[in-house]
Amino acid sequence: MEKLKKKIRSFSFWNWVIASIIFRLILIYFPKNLNLCSRPEVSTPLTSFRRLAEGYWLKQSSMSPYAGSMYHGSPLLLSLLGPLTVKRIEGQPNHLLYSLVSVIADVVSAMLIRATGQNLQVAYFGTLKSLDLVKQIELSEVHSSGDVAALIYLCNPFTIVACVGLSTSPIENMAVILCLYGACSRLVPLAAFGWVIATHLSLYPAILIIPVHLSFVLAICDLLLGYGPDAPPRKLFLQRHQQKGLSSQSKLPPGFSWGSIIHFAFWALLWSVYVLVLCGISLKQFGGLWEMFKSTYGFILTVEDLSPNVGVLWYFFAEVFEFFRNFFLIVFHVNILFMILPLAIRLHHRPCYLAFVYVAICSMLKSYPSVGDSALYLGLLGWFVNELSDMQFSLFLFCGYVGVSLLSPVMHNLWIWRGTGNANFYFATAMVYACLQIVLVVEGVSAMLNHDRKLRSLILDKPRDAKS
Amino acid sequence: MALLRRPLLLLLIVTHQFLQLWIAFGSVNEEGQKQEEFYEELLLKPLPDRKVLTHFHFQSSAPPTSNGRHHHLFPKAISQLVQKFRVKEMELSFTQGRWNYESWGGFDSIPSSNAKPPGVELWAVFDVPQHLIDPLWKNLTHTLSGLFCASINFLESSTAYSAPEWSFPLASGSLRYGTLPREAVCTENITPWLKLLPCRDKAGISTLLDRPSIYRGFYHSQRLHLTSTGSGSEGMDLGIMLEQTLTVVLQPISQRASLVRDSEKHIQPSWSLSSIFGKQVSGKCVLAETSNVYLLLDRGLVAELKQLHKENEKSIENSLTSENFWTNPSFELSAKPDRIFIEECSLLSKNSSVLYKFEVEKYSEFEPFDLGITWKIPIVWLCQQAPLHASRFLTGSGNERGAIAISLKSTQTTEGFMGAHSNDERCELRVDVFQVVPWYVKVYFHSLQVFVDQQPKAVSDIIEKIHISPSKDKVSPGVMELVLKLPCSMSSTALTIEFDKGFLHIDEYPPDANQGFDIPSAIVSFPNFHASMVFLESDSLNKSPLLSKFQEWSHVMSYTEVLLVPLTTPDFSMPYNVITITCTVFALYFGSLLNALRRRVAEEERFLKDKSAKKTGQLPLLLSKLSAKLRGRRSEPPHSSPVSSSFINSKLVFKVILIAGLAVCWQYYFL
């Protein structure tokens, strides 16, 4: 019976995957890709396809791709994807090859999400088993979180739009997911590679180093105790063991091991040197690495481009007084850094969830956000369907996301194309979008903490129940 | 008597001495061939669309001397400027209106060197090493803006000027080029310009410059071109040639407008200097070497006249050039020309233009010079056009993106060129395009497309050379220089290039932001064609700078329209609202997330309390109670007796002292 159920589930899963791929291909064959390519929600100055093509053109005409303020991406992306911007097949849409690459990147990311999710699920059950809580949580409610997450990622309109809109965010997302997959599967070189590439492409994933480390540290525990990368706090285990009357203190491994960190650091260093050398080679005859840093990371950190996007910083910096600019730049970036430590302390036992929160915060506060970033954290959210099942405001959030994604193009049209609205209209939708993300993150974090509390209360109450 | 005689004697002596000095000075000048010279000339030309082109040409030159900074005729301000900024060549023009290339012609040397883009255009070549050029340019713009009462200083910012590589054949690298398309030109600009003339507008031809009548014109371009020669090293001053021209296109007011009969409607309006300027010339400026007025009948007009007279079976050659020219059957001149020049036939056209020369020095205050022309029969002709008619426009709608299109259409001149090269199979027409775009128009150079006769062509087939320096945000404008090789048989070519419209900071918008932003004119030049008029009997022309200017072998050039790009504007009235609302959202994020992280449910609190109570006793208990109070929850009943208030005070005092100490340290060390 259960096998049959599983079969049906997996069958429908592959159906959905194929359907989403076909849907993408249909959209690609629309003329001019529905102009998604130039939507501000899809292509930011960092991920825009046209800017990539411009950078490639400049490089081909033996100029630095960073001459002018057009291209701000990585030189590696330019060498890999650049040729696809000009290659055309007769009778096919203009950028078919490039679109296919994004579709493949999306599918690969979905598969990695699925593998990681299954990994997490196994760990989740392992945890429950080790805490003897399997009976308390009814199994019928448990969803296969890997499948759910992969399907959310694949069928999310945001992902589809980012993929069809020829932005580079599917590739950036793939690097982030690769990093998390590597961390959860305890493949140190892969995790380091994903982390280095993701950081190189969009800088913000740099803070994922903390969850990745935590997951390695926990992985050591895992070997000894048999629980996975995402687990309730260790205190619970301690309490549990105490109740069992075991002298668990000796059995529990040290929480912090330098070995794995050094291992990771070594690989990260190796990969970053490798990436830098490759960049240096491809930019040898131009300005070199310093120019690259200035026009990629410098561009991200100083918010030079004030063209509208779904974030809030563009309008803020278009309006703020020049002499406050540096102050606010620091404040906004520190806002991201400031939350790293509290979150890491409170959620250190759940590195994957921590990674999700970090990704969500980054995509909310980054200087040039796009819907592709939202697609990533919404996909990752699928991993925690079971844990977050009693999250508040989920309907409200869902409606909010739908509303914003419908209103934002309307407001943009009113402002830019018709000239009847003004910038405040569009900014208001960006504001609402930011608020929604804030509510999602805050509610998500508190729901996860509540879940842990629930587990704890179950453990604490069980003996009493048994007594009574 | 004696009293009277002494002053007389003195006067005599003084006069004598003066005379001696004068003679000595004159002889020195003649010996050294070093003399400052000034020429004033005026060219008048009837235009096909019932308008008159008047072109004032003043030239002063200072030879290289070693006698310091003393000048007789040459304006001191200019020579100081040249010395200080090491200017090799410079051109500054103030223009209002647009030269109508279709009806006023685009091939002669007047349109190709005097038709300028609207607003201010400035380019300068410096005689210094590369790294010194930019500071010199900045200083030069400030000096010129002071000198001409114009906002040329806006060209100082690096976003406003560019360094073209090939478009100006003079000097690559050391040339800087900048335009201000929206600069308004008015009398405040012409007054300082006239100040540079030795006679100002008090005598000579420049007396004609009556402000109301020249600013009433359809096109008005005031230009200043200076060239310095010589090494300028070791105390030797540079030789400087200053050329000031004023080109005005005026509509003569027809005196008999009300009385015109239908048959006379097509007759060109008759005009005279006094009718178009309201003034007459009463003699030359005494400081000028020569002072001439020319009347130019261009090739098309002469050909048309010939045609008319052939029908009347009269020899035009005679009637136009012979002594009785003013009783010409088609027009009548009110003054007798001193000389008549006929242009040498060129390759491109069989017709030649005719130039009448009038010497102003023959006239005096009592007998002022007033040249007039009266047309007798209706005549229609065309001016010679530029090889390709260049125009530029924007495509696309909305404020997000658009495209610039430059269209080149062939004219009758191209057909002539084609005829000349018809036996040549691979006939190609070379066209240079120079285009500057401001940084907020973000051009995608990879989107450059070429259409020849509406058919898309591979860019590499048409574009022979391309030089691009992409724009950097808030640093430099984008420069595009193209060398096109067009097939002669084409009738139209279009270049399109896409752009995104930038979004600016509110401080960067000009006061009237919704008016839009200007993209300066593109320069289209035709190196295959040379705008020169060589006149027969040219031996005596050396004296006339205007005619020698005509003979110069220069490229045909034309400017395209200035484009107006509307950019999106943010709400200018809302900076405070935006700042406060955004900061509120950030505070919401920070506060609520931190709150979610540090919130503990009652059970955990109790657990902690138990633990702390066991460990340290009263103090943490109190703190937890306080915090519970602050959070507005009912605090747990105290396990122990309340602590004395003095303890709280001491704690509080300690905290206050700590903070005060920190503040003092901060004050002391960091500020």
Side-chain angles (χ1 to χ4, degrees), chain A residues 81-375:
Chain A
L81 298 179
L84 303 180
T85 62
V86 287
K87 214 162 255 175
R88 296 209 158 94
I89 306 170
E90 275 306 311
Q92 301 288 333
N94 275 347
H95 307 299
L96 182 69
L97 287 174
Y98 184 86
S99 322
L100 287 181
V101 167
S102 339
V103 172
I104 291 167
D106 266 3
V107 173
V108 168
S109 318
M111 291 305 115
L112 289 178
I113 287 179
R114 185 171 184 239
T116 316
Q118 281 165 350
N119 208 342
L120 286 178
Q121 184 128 28
V122 169
Y124 180 68
F125 279 116
T127 314
L128 287 187
K129 217 167 267 171
S130 72
L131 293 174
D132 299 337
L133 288 174
V134 186
K135 281 169 205 162
Q136 264 86 354
I137 293 165
E138 295 112 77
L139 269 175
S140 58
E141 279 180 14
V142 173
H143 304 278
S144 163
S145 62
D147 290 0
V148 170
L151 283 186
I152 289 179
Y153 186 75
L154 267 186
C155 302
N156 189 346
F158 288 170
T159 327
I160 294 172
V161 158
C163 171
V164 178
L166 302 173
S167 79
T168 55
S169 41
I171 309 225
E172 286 166 18
N173 290 352
M174 190 171 77
V176 173
I177 291 166
L178 200 67
C179 165
L180 295 181
Y181 172 76
C184 288
S185 334
R186 278 149 252 149
L187 301 168
V188 178
L190 188 67
F193 177 73
W195 181 72
V196 167
I197 291 292
T199 307
H200 173 63
L201 290 182
S202 57
L203 186 65
Y204 289 99
I207 61 171
L208 288 181
I209 193 167
I210 291 173
V212 169
H213 270 310
L214 285 174
S215 76
F216 284 130
V217 170
L218 288 183
I220 309 291
C221 315
D222 186 33
L223 288 177
L224 291 165
L225 273 177
Y227 61 85
D230 240 31
R234 276 201 305 141
K235 251 185 228 156
L236 271 188
F237 290 95
L238 282 176
Q239 283 169 358
R240 182 78 198 138
H241 288 298
Q242 275 164 6
Q243 277 166 4
K244 276 185 178 172
L246 294 169
S247 57
S248 51
Q249 200 60 44
S250 56
K251 270 192 180 177
L252 272 176
F256 200 75
S257 85
W258 284 102
S260 65
I261 287 172
I262 289 166
H263 195 193
F264 181 82
F266 166 73
W267 276 103
L269 196 71
L270 197 73
W271 285 119
S272 42
V273 166
Y274 180 61
V275 164
L276 285 182
V277 166
L278 283 184
C279 290
I281 288 169
S282 72
L283 292 174
K284 197 172 62 188
Q285 67 265 47
F286 314 119
L289 285 179
W290 179 240
E291 193 191 10
M292 181 192 90
F293 285 129
K294 229 166 80 178
S295 56
T296 53
Y297 301 151
F299 182 74
I300 291 171
L301 293 177
T302 54
V303 199
E304 283 162 25
D305 194 302
L306 302 175
S307 53
N309 53 39
V310 286
V312 290
L313 296 195
W314 63 274
Y315 200 49
F316 186 86
F317 285 111
E319 296 262 345
V320 80
F321 309 103
E322 205 61 46
F323 41 87
F324 284 140
R325 193 185 160 86
N326 291 335
F327 168 72
F328 278 110
L329 277 177
I330 293 169
V331 166
F332 289 157
H333 286 113
V334 160
N335 244 319
I336 298 178
L337 298 180
F338 229 83
M339 269 300 156
I340 290 177
L341 209 62
L343 281 168
I345 290 168
R346 206 76 168 100
L347 292 170
H348 68 99
H349 51 280
R350 290 185 180 278
C352 281
Y353 193 73
L354 187 63
F356 154 74
V357 175
Y358 282 170
V359 168
I361 287 176
C362 285
S363 77
M364 179 168 70
L365 301 181
K366 75 196 286 188
S367 32
Y368 311 101
S370 71
V371 292
D373 302 310
S374 311

Side-chain angles (χ1 to χ4, degrees), chain B residues 223-358:
Chain B
R223 185 171 144 265
L224 179 134
H225 184 114
L226 61 91
T227 327
S228 70
T229 50
S231 59
S233 58
E234 311 199 0
M236 271 287 277
D237 281 1
L238 298 160
I240 311 167
M241 170 94 87
L242 172 69
E243 188 187 302
Q244 287 170 269
T245 64
L246 177 71
T247 313
V248 186
V249 174
L250 292 165
Q251 174 102 59
I253 305 157
S254 190
Q255 287 100 342
R256 300 168 297 164
S258 54
L259 306 169
V260 183
R261 280 170 285 148
D262 279 355
S263 63
E264 279 187 0
K265 262 190 180 165
H266 300 292
I267 295 183
Q268 291 280 326
S270 304
W271 48 264
S272 64
L273 284 182
S274 55
S275 78
I276 54 176
F277 290 114
K279 282 184 179 177
Q280 293 169 326
V281 185
S282 50
K284 66 177 243 181
C285 165
V286 283
L287 297 168
E289 300 286 313
T290 56
S291 176
N292 297 325
V293 174
Y294 299 92
L295 176 71
L296 179 72
L297 303 182
D298 70 9
R299 291 163 190 159
L301 179 57
V302 171
E304 203 64 36
L305 285 172
K306 274 183 189 171
Q307 195 71 29
L308 275 174
H309 290 280
K310 251 177 209 165
E311 285 164 16
N312 297 347
E313 292 178 20
K314 278 184 183 175
S315 168
I316 183 74
E317 290 296 331
N318 290 337
S319 61
L320 277 174
T321 54
S322 65
E323 290 302 306
N324 59 345
F325 52 88
W326 62 87
T327 55
N328 187 300
S330 38
F331 63 88
E332 200 178 320
L333 297 180
S334 68
K336 182 175 180 287
D338 297 297
R339 281 194 76 152
I340 299 168
F341 301 103
I342 297 173
E343 191 198 358
E344 277 180 8
C345 290
S346 63
L347 271 174
L348 290 174
S349 65
K350 288 157 217 152
N351 305 308
S352 50
S353 44
V354 176
L355 191 74
Y356 299 93
K357 178 182 174 187
F358 304 87

Side-chain angles (χ1 to χ4, degrees), chain A residues 394-412:
Chain A
S394 46
L395 180 70
F396 165 76
L397 282 173
F398 178 75
C399 296
Y401 271 91
V402 171
V404 164
S405 44
L406 291 179
L407 267 183
S408 162
V410 172
M411 293 307 175
H412 189 258

Side-chain angles (χ1 to χ4, degrees), chain B residues 107 347-349 384-388 410-424 426-431 485-490 526-530 556:
Chain B
F107 196 82
L347 271 174
L348 290 174
S349 65
Q384 197 175 10
Q385 309 246 308
L388 295 171
S410 63
T411 57
Q412 86 271 23
T413 314
T414 334
E415 284 152 24
F417 179 74
M418 254 179 70
H421 292 80
S422 55
N423 45 358
D424 217 355
R426 291 182 47 78
C427 164
E428 278 179 334
L429 188 62
R430 193 181 144 180
V431 182
K485 283 268 185 199
L486 301 174
C488 294
S489 52
M490 67 98 204
F526 307 96
N528 291 127
F529 297 89
H530 296 281
V556 175

Side-chain angles (χ1 to χ4, degrees), chain B residues 466-525:
Chain B
I466 184 165
H467 171 254
I468 276 169
S469 68
S471 60
K472 269 216 174 302
D473 284 0
K474 299 175 193 186
V475 174
S476 64
V479 181
M480 178 170 72
E481 290 169 272
L482 303 173
V483 175
L484 309 177
K485 283 268 185 199
L486 301 174
C488 294
S489 52
M490 67 98 204
S491 65
S492 72
T493 301
L495 300 170
T496 63
I497 191 158
E498 290 172 25
F499 64 86
D500 271 357
K501 296 181 182 179
F503 292 82
L504 310 182
H505 185 263
I506 46 169
D507 291 346
E508 289 162 343
Y509 285 93
D512 186 7
N514 287 306
Q515 194 192 336
F517 291 73
D518 295 297
I519 301 183
S521 299
I523 303 174
V524 180
S525 64

